[in-house]
Amino acid sequence: LPEDFTVDSSKVYNGTVTTYYKFKGYGFITPDEAGTVPGDKVFAYWKNIKTEDRYPTLTKDMKVQFTLAIVEKQGVKTVQAESIAAPGGANISCQDEADQKKDFVGGQSMRYTGKLKFFLPKQGYGYITIDPGFQYDKEGVPAEIKAEADEMNCGGGNPAYA
């Protein structure tokens, strides 16, 4: 950043998400107003997303509003989006839309443990062998189920090729 660059941290900006890396928890927003920040690209971090989703995320081409802050990381000053919200200030909600396309066994909040049978990172899914002993709310639930990467918790990390 130029030495004399400043931001008005109280001003609310509008922009479009250009990229977001869900498993890394960050992405970039292009402000609608060109010249707002050097390079017309603002860093967006998952902790700054206003949401009630289980996994805060943004999607490409999503319209958002945000404030700006100058942050220093490892001695380098950068511009970061903060208070990232839907236009008008509403919470960002990506999870509900994705969940509507799924059929949950045991309910949306139920969690199961098991062993990863295999995982295909490029396809974003794998199969898990569910640990024995769970009671299901329907008949015919297979012992091995398909699981998408965004629904897996691998000890705090991302699932790897197995």
Side-chain angles (χ1 to χ4, degrees):
L1 284 179
E3 277 289 319
D4 61 344
F5 184 79
T6 60
V7 297
D8 179 353
S9 59
S10 64
K11 182 176 179 183
V12 176
Y13 298 87
N14 292 303
T16 304
V17 177
T18 52
T19 55
Y20 193 81
Y21 305 101
K22 185 173 186 172
F23 293 116
K24 294 182 179 181
Y26 73 90
F28 296 93
I29 299 169
T30 299
D32 288 349
E33 190 178 320
T36 301
V37 296
D40 290 325
K41 190 163 65 169
V42 180
F43 180 77
Y45 189 54
W46 72 270
K47 287 186 178 181
N48 296 331
I49 300 172
K50 184 180 170 187
T51 185
E52 292 182 17
D53 285 351
R54 294 184 305 273
Y55 306 103
T57 191
L58 301 170
T59 57
K60 183 175 172 41
D61 298 325
M62 175 185 278
K63 298 290 186 188
V64 294
Q65 74 172 38
F66 55 95
T67 59
L68 294 174
I70 295 177
V71 295
E72 187 172 333
K73 293 183 181 177
Q74 300 174 348
V76 177
K77 288 185 179 182
T78 61
V79 180
Q80 178 171 292
E82 298 199 339
S83 302
I84 304 166
N91 281 356
I92 301 239
S93 180
C94 297
Q95 195 72 49
D96 288 344
E97 185 178 323
D99 286 352
Q100 288 175 0
K101 300 173 186 171
K102 297 176 183 176
D103 181 25
F104 291 91
V105 174
Q108 185 173 343
S109 299
M110 184 65 184
R111 298 294 178 256
Y112 300 97
T113 58
K115 183 176 180 177
L116 185 63
K117 183 175 180 181
F118 72 86
F119 181 72
L120 303 170
K122 288 185 179 180
Q123 284 80 13
Y125 75 92
Y127 277 80
I128 296 173
T129 302
I130 299 175
D131 289 338
F134 286 103
Q135 298 294 318
Y136 301 110
D137 62 346
K138 56 178 96 175
E139 295 292 321
V141 175
E144 294 177 357
I145 59 167
K146 180 179 178 180
E148 296 174 13
D150 60 347
E151 293 294 335
M152 292 183 192
N153 179 344
C154 299
N158 294 326
Y161 184 81

